[in-house]
Amino acid sequence: MHLITAKARLSPNVTRLEVQAPRIADIRQAGQFVIVRRGEGAERIPLTIADSDPAAGTIALVIQAVGKSTRELVALEPGQTIQDIAGPLGHPTELIRQGHALCIGGGVGTAVVHPIVQTLARHKVRVTSIIGGRAKEWVIFEPELRRFGEVVVCTDDGSYGRKGFVTQAAADLLAAGGIDIVYAVGPVPMMRAVVNLTRPLGVRTIVSLNPLMVDGTGMCGGCRVSVGGRDFFACVDGPEFDGHQVDFDLLADRQTSYREFEQAANACGPAGCRVGLTHA
Ligand code: NAD
Ligand code: FES
């Protein structure tokens, strides 16, 4: 059992939970994630480890409430527990040791970017972050990222920071030159747009993929992605890959595959859904 020690609402549908998981807090690295099961029979939900406090033995989980299971998870309060947290899973982020990194976070993907920025800055790499949300209240992790370097904030409606998508700000920065690597995490169309910017410039670009995951062990095949014409499982081979090699069409297609199950799950009552598929 993992005790929830703190809870904060970051945006209208994004919540941060601090959860006791001392072993994971000690060894987690940027890019890694956990699979969480709230209780017996509950769905397994993959969540990035946005931060950790080894002294307190806690990890920070950032959850976007988009389906039945994630809504139930964010309804938990400090003092309550999560039954299982498996991890850390996945490969740590490929990090540069010198130069200038551009880290781009779209919406809730900004939580995935945070540990990457944190680790790059620890290695004395210069970091510029570009983060975006639909409007001011959807922008997350801005104060945390400002501790590690320059931050450009964008909102789709111009209610805060620069008006427009993160990719517009990224295009300007890339045009100025001097960027050695780009890390991009967010919605699939955003990551696709970023790699379309960096490919002609030859700037290495790492993206974090979040296809449907079920077991997180490479057994079920649910998280299959195509990279460089070869099949990989995001849970054990990723979740981060060379963005220039990713088949984003397949990824977008597979993300929509389970939509009718999600809708069925959302229609389920408190007793829960029994379709047996993930619908986080
Ligand atoms: P959102 O739709 O609100 O978009 C967030 C920002 O991304 C926008 O403000 C904009 O700056 C940028 N963006 C969106 N569409 C774009 C486009 N077509 N071109 C360029 N930039 C674009 O995002 P959200 O609701 O916070 O996030 C939801 C999505 O993020 C889901 O699809 C989810 O699967 C994905 N996600 C991905 C990861 C990951 O590891 N890749 C992690 C969490 C969530
Ligand atoms: Fe089952 Fe990756 S989640 S193979």
Side-chain angles (χ1 to χ4, degrees):
M1 286 290 182
H2 300 267
L3 183 71
I4 298 169
T5 59
K7 177 179 178 177
R9 190 165 174 194
L10 304 185
S11 87
N13 74 349
V14 176
T15 298
R16 174 176 176 148
L17 296 180
E18 310 292 332
V19 186
Q20 272 184 356
R23 193 188 64 84
I24 299 172
D26 265 343
I27 62 173
R28 68 98 195 186
Q29 293 182 61
Q32 294 186 299
F33 65 99
V34 290
I35 289 194
V36 165
R37 201 167 61 132
R38 183 178 46 81
E40 202 58 51
E43 184 186 0
R44 293 151 172 256
I45 304 172
L47 295 171
T48 203
I49 308 166
D51 204 352
S52 72
D53 181 345
T58 56
I59 56 173
L61 303 177
V62 172
I63 305 144
Q64 187 177 37
V66 287
K68 179 178 176 291
S69 296
T70 43
R71 280 200 304 273
E72 287 173 355
L73 199 55
V74 302
L76 295 174
E77 296 294 337
Q80 292 186 285
T81 55
I82 293 173
Q83 181 170 303
D84 301 314
I85 301 182
L89 302 171
H91 289 283
T93 302
E94 169 195 320
L95 297 163
I96 56 169
R97 301 288 164 163
Q98 57 183 11
H100 187 182
L102 176 59
C103 298
I104 309 172
V108 68
T110 309
V112 185
V113 162
H114 175 253
I116 299 174
V117 172
Q118 205 176 36
T119 312
L120 286 167
R122 202 175 294 143
H123 292 153
K124 309 280 182 244
V125 171
R126 179 181 168 197
V127 184
T128 301
S129 303
I130 301 177
I131 60 174
R134 294 168 218 173
K136 184 176 182 183
E137 66 269 29
W138 296 89
V139 173
I140 64 171
F141 276 86
E142 183 192 353
E144 290 87 345
L145 291 171
R146 286 210 184 276
R147 288 187 211 132
F148 305 115
E150 187 195 350
V151 179
V152 179
V153 181
C154 307
T155 51
D156 301 2
D157 67 355
S159 54
Y160 186 52
R162 176 178 166 152
K163 186 176 194 301
F165 285 170
V166 285
T167 41
Q168 289 162 288
D172 291 347
L173 260 160
L174 286 161
I179 300 293
D180 297 296
I181 192 165
V182 171
Y183 299 89
V185 190
V188 170
M190 182 212 102
M191 294 191 288
R192 189 205 303 256
V194 170
V195 302
N196 285 342
L197 285 175
T198 58
R199 187 182 285 112
L201 301 172
V203 177
R204 184 159 176 76
T205 302
I206 307 293
V207 294
S208 179
L209 306 185
N210 69 329
L212 174 107
M213 285 188 192
V214 182
D215 63 337
T217 65
M219 302 288 285
C220 73
C223 67
R224 181 172 60 84
V225 293
S226 176
V227 182
R230 291 175 55 207
D231 283 348
F232 292 93
F233 295 136
C235 65
V236 289
D237 301 316
E240 296 179 4
F241 293 96
D242 175 353
H244 295 159
Q245 303 291 323
V246 171
D247 182 339
F248 284 104
D249 288 336
L250 179 74
L251 183 63
D253 194 44
R254 284 178 64 82
Q255 277 197 336
T256 57
S257 306
Y258 295 92
R259 199 151 280 166
E260 65 187 80
F261 290 99
E262 279 175 27
Q263 283 160 358
N266 280 329
C268 286
C273 170
R274 295 284 172 266
V275 293
L277 291 165
T278 185
H279 42 69

